[in-house]
Amino acid sequence: MNYIEYDLLFESRKQLIEEITELDEKTLHHKPVPEVWNIAQICHHLYLTEQVFTEVIANGIQERDFNNIIQKNIYFVTDRSRKFSSPEAISPSSAPFQLSSLMDLLAESRDRLLQVLYDMDSDILLNRKKAKHPLFGDLSLDQWIELLSLHEQRHIKQIQEIKTALI
């Protein structure tokens, strides 16, 4: 994996943590409208998503190399005007969360992802490995990592919108 992908992961997570670190319980569980997630649910969704992405990446590393993986335009996921349905496996719980437990979950999922990446053989090129994504089809594993960061950025914007609505 190249340093740009690591930088994207670290920067998006740093920003997420900065957005939620000082939140009280009321803000954490506030829903501007009933059909949207609250900040705690967004964080739980990010944790679940990272768990799934890590599993996909870990399995994809074991697969054979491909020479002609087409790079997809994944950047539109940051556009909050586009709505996506979350698969059930990564839909958050409606149970209340403590901020400390959410922080622990986010740290756990990120540590697991980084461990998978650090443990892979140094000669593996993630842009030569692929896995099927439900929205994009075949994505190279480096794009899976980039997508994880972009997805987190999308939800950081959502958190910011919820916080702004409370001011």
Side-chain angles (χ1 to χ4, degrees), residues 56-63 116-117 120 124 126 129 141:
V56 167
I57 291 166
N59 290 335
I61 288 170
Q62 305 303 317
E63 298 296 323
V116 165
L117 297 173
M120 71 181 188
I124 290 178
L126 294 177
K129 306 281 187 176
L141 296 187

Side-chain angles (χ1 to χ4, degrees), residues 11-12 15 78 148-157:
E11 187 55 40
S12 65
Q15 187 178 2
T78 60
L148 183 63
S149 176
L150 294 171
H151 175 258
E152 199 161 79
Q153 288 295 318
R154 174 188 181 85
H155 287 296
I156 289 168
K157 289 177 187 174

